[in-house]
Amino acid sequence: MPRLLRLLHCALASLSLSLSGCGLYAVDGPGAEVRALTGAHTRVVWVQHDGKDPGAVGDQLVLMGFDTHDGKGERVILGKRGSYVKPLLTPRGNRIVFSTRVKPGPAQVFIVNWDGTGVRKLADGFALGLWKNPADNGEWVYVGTDNTNSEFATISRFPIDAPDRREVVWNTSLVSIDNFQVSADGRYAGAMLPWPDAGIADLQNRTVKKLGQGCWPALTSARGPLFWYFDGAHRNLTMVDVEADTRWMVNINNAPGFDGAEVDYPRWTNHPRFFAIAGPYNQGGLNQARTGGAQTEVYLGRFSEDFSRVEAWARVTTNGGGDSYPDTWIDVDRSPHSRRPRGPIGPVHASAAKATGGPAGHAHAGRLVVNARLTRPVAIPAPESILPYRNALVVNEYEILDVVQGTYAGKEIRIAQWAIRNSRALAEARKIAGAAFTLVVERYDAHPELEGERLISNSEASRLPLYYDVGQP
């Protein structure tokens, strides 16, 4: 009988391996949650710090990885502390390209095998993105040079294994260090051109199509080119269906346990339905994403098929360090999730949202005139604390005394009001709790000009709609 049980156990183990090889996956082990989300072999790479260096500007970082199929969970790829910035998994998923930026020398680009062997320098510069040439499946790296701080005047590319074949692909405008993702045909790149202008660079015609203001732009292909940029509140993506010229907002700070906290480093994976973030950033302060903290982990999210929302999450890491700059590779050929949507992209209202709302004063902007008492003011930050942002709004909470014009059913309202303009704190922004005001407000999302501005709130988890103070009556 024991021998029979052993034979049965071996048979089941063989069946499990066979199913794994066919694209199915086991339900237990360190990678189970991520495997359940993606349905395929998945690798994630990121940099880890002590919680005090979320921007990876120092030299006390390590390079980390996670593989759903090796049973090891989180693993150290390069454990010697140093500078590791913006690691990128190659299109085949077996190597990692990363950059270093220890002064006084120039930034440098390196490559390492997934198992931590074969570290070698590729070039001077900063690795911004990777691309697979559809003609021969060759892997290329896009490198920024001629930089001032975090903006590059020249973007070049070369095959990873032939750095001497370097060619300039962009020098029309500055490009910021945030995500630089190249279209499958190699013609376009989603980028900051430069910050805060997010858009698409036509690498062939050397032209720019600006699509909004924010940070961490990304470009993928669904039915056609699909672009996003991240808002100043570090909570939402503005999605843009480029060919249809429609846009909509997707909230990405609603992973389990986040309670509305800020997130950072959103990045599309090689599968358009999936993306990575780091968070939650919830340690207080006026620029929470920059406060870091050891509580920040890496998460993967899955968009609904129409890209209107995040339908599921998986937590990748659980550790005592701070995690930043995640990048993800998925075996897209084995994933059960289609890369091409069957129906329309975006929510129903996206087709009418080409400008994300309308001019101030229009009826659909939800204009209200209210008499209200300030109940919860937000402290005005020092201008230097929000850099590189030069402007900031704070979200103050009010009790409505009466509605003079318009319709509003609640007794409480959240209103975004200017606190800093052109790096100068506004004296009139300092308000005292209990003071009463007559305010003219409109829905915040009816003002696309605000989408890239820094937004500071003490009530991240509030379900109240957000309004914008458009001025005195």
Side-chain angles (χ1 to χ4, degrees):
M1 191 65 160
R3 182 173 180 272
L4 179 61
L5 289 175
R6 284 197 301 272
L7 290 172
L8 180 60
H9 176 78
C10 291
L12 290 173
S14 298
L15 178 61
S16 176
L17 289 173
S18 175
L19 291 175
S20 178
C22 293
L24 300 176
Y25 48 87
V27 295
D28 56 1
E33 186 176 350
V34 176
R35 287 196 301 267
L37 182 80
T38 65
H41 189 186
T42 303
R43 284 178 170 173
V44 187
V45 66
W46 67 96
V47 298
Q48 188 175 93
H49 52 90
D50 62 0
K52 299 177 182 178
D53 188 13
V57 298
D59 60 0
Q60 295 297 305
L61 298 116
V62 295
L63 188 64
M64 300 289 294
F66 179 93
D67 188 325
T68 56
H69 278 43
D70 67 8
K72 296 179 180 179
E74 301 171 52
R75 59 195 286 180
V76 175
I77 294 175
L78 291 176
K80 182 180 178 181
R81 294 198 175 270
S83 174
Y84 305 100
V85 192
K86 198 176 182 179
L88 303 167
L89 278 157
T90 56
R92 294 187 184 94
N94 62 341
R95 296 186 290 179
I96 302 160
V97 174
F98 64 92
S99 302
T100 65
R101 54 181 179 190
V102 178
K103 295 180 178 181
Q108 297 179 326
V109 181
F110 289 82
I111 191 167
V112 62
N113 295 326
W114 177 253
D115 63 4
T117 64
V119 181
R120 60 187 170 94
K121 178 182 174 182
L122 295 179
D124 287 338
F126 192 93
L128 294 172
L130 302 179
W131 173 66
K132 183 174 72 172
N133 187 341
D136 59 6
N137 291 328
E139 297 176 314
W140 293 63
V141 58
Y142 287 71
V143 175
T145 54
D146 303 326
N147 60 299
T148 301
N149 294 323
S150 296
E151 295 176 345
F152 303 93
T154 304
I155 309 299
S156 304
R157 72 176 185 180
F158 55 82
I160 288 176
D161 295 312
D164 56 318
R165 290 172 52 193
R166 193 160 179 162
E167 59 189 38
V168 174
V169 296
W170 185 259
N171 54 13
T172 302
S173 69
L174 292 174
V175 172
S176 298
I177 199 173
D178 291 357
N179 289 342
F180 186 91
Q181 289 188 301
V182 181
S183 61
D185 60 6
R187 176 168 178 175
Y188 302 100
M192 303 302 304
L193 299 160
W195 184 88
D197 293 326
I200 294 178
D202 185 327
L203 303 178
Q204 177 177 307
N205 295 331
R206 303 294 176 95
T207 57
V208 171
K209 183 174 184 178
K210 295 183 179 179
L211 295 172
Q213 291 191 329
C215 57
W216 294 105
L219 179 67
T220 193
S221 178
R223 181 169 294 105
L226 188 60
F227 179 81
W228 86 42
Y229 53 96
F230 196 35
D231 68 357
H234 283 232
R235 293 174 174 87
N236 308 288
L237 300 172
T238 296
M239 289 279 196
V240 183
D241 184 340
V242 178
E243 291 181 351
D245 194 24
T246 58
R247 62 184 66 204
W248 61 96
M249 186 173 288
V250 178
N251 177 263
I252 62 167
N253 71 329
N254 58 354
F258 271 48
D259 295 325
E262 293 186 10
V263 304
D264 213 351
Y265 309 104
R267 184 171 176 83
W268 241 313
T269 75
N270 60 325
H271 191 308
R273 292 281 300 279
F274 298 91
F275 67 100
I277 60 168
Y281 292 89
N282 56 6
Q283 297 302 287
L286 300 172
N287 195 329
Q288 293 200 40
R290 288 171 59 192
T291 61
Q295 83 290 340
T296 57
E297 307 286 357
V298 174
Y299 289 76
L300 292 182
R302 186 177 71 225
F303 292 116
S304 57
E305 190 176 354
D306 65 357
F307 294 92
S308 65
R309 60 188 177 87
V310 180
E311 67 178 14
W313 290 97
R315 181 170 174 168
V316 178
T317 65
T318 302
N319 56 60
D323 302 309
S324 304
Y325 284 103
D327 189 44
T328 308
W329 171 87
I330 297 170
D331 186 350
V332 295
D333 294 329
R334 294 180 182 273
S335 174
H337 301 283
S338 173
R339 285 172 280 171
R340 184 179 176 86
R342 290 167 291 187
I345 296 176
V348 175
H349 66 266
S351 60
K354 294 184 179 181
T356 313
H362 279 213
H364 62 259
R367 172 167 284 205
L368 303 171
V369 179
V370 297
N371 292 320
R373 179 181 293 112
L374 181 61
T375 57
R376 194 180 183 193
V378 171
I380 308 302
E384 57 271 20
S385 72
I386 67 165
L387 292 173
Y389 294 92
R390 292 174 51 83
N391 305 311
L393 300 101
V394 295
V395 179
N396 294 318
E397 296 183 15
Y398 289 83
E399 174 194 3
I400 292 181
L401 302 177
D402 61 88
V403 179
V404 179
Q405 178 183 321
T407 302
Y408 188 84
K411 293 298 294 181
E412 298 177 330
I413 189 170
R414 299 166 68 233
I415 301 175
Q417 299 177 295
W418 284 109
I420 297 174
R421 299 301 297 267
N422 297 318
S423 296
R424 184 179 66 86
L426 304 179
E428 61 271 24
R430 302 185 186 280
K431 298 177 172 62
I432 299 173
F437 304 87
T438 300
L439 301 172
V440 182
V441 299
E442 294 178 350
R443 286 206 317 270
Y444 189 87
D445 61 8
H447 288 266
E449 74 276 12
L450 303 175
E451 61 194 4
E453 303 290 1
R454 191 77 173 93
L455 188 67
I456 300 167
S457 172
N458 284 340
S459 55
E460 293 87 351
S462 176
R463 300 303 179 191
L464 293 174
L466 180 61
Y467 282 78
Y468 168 59
D469 184 351
V470 299
Q472 294 299 315

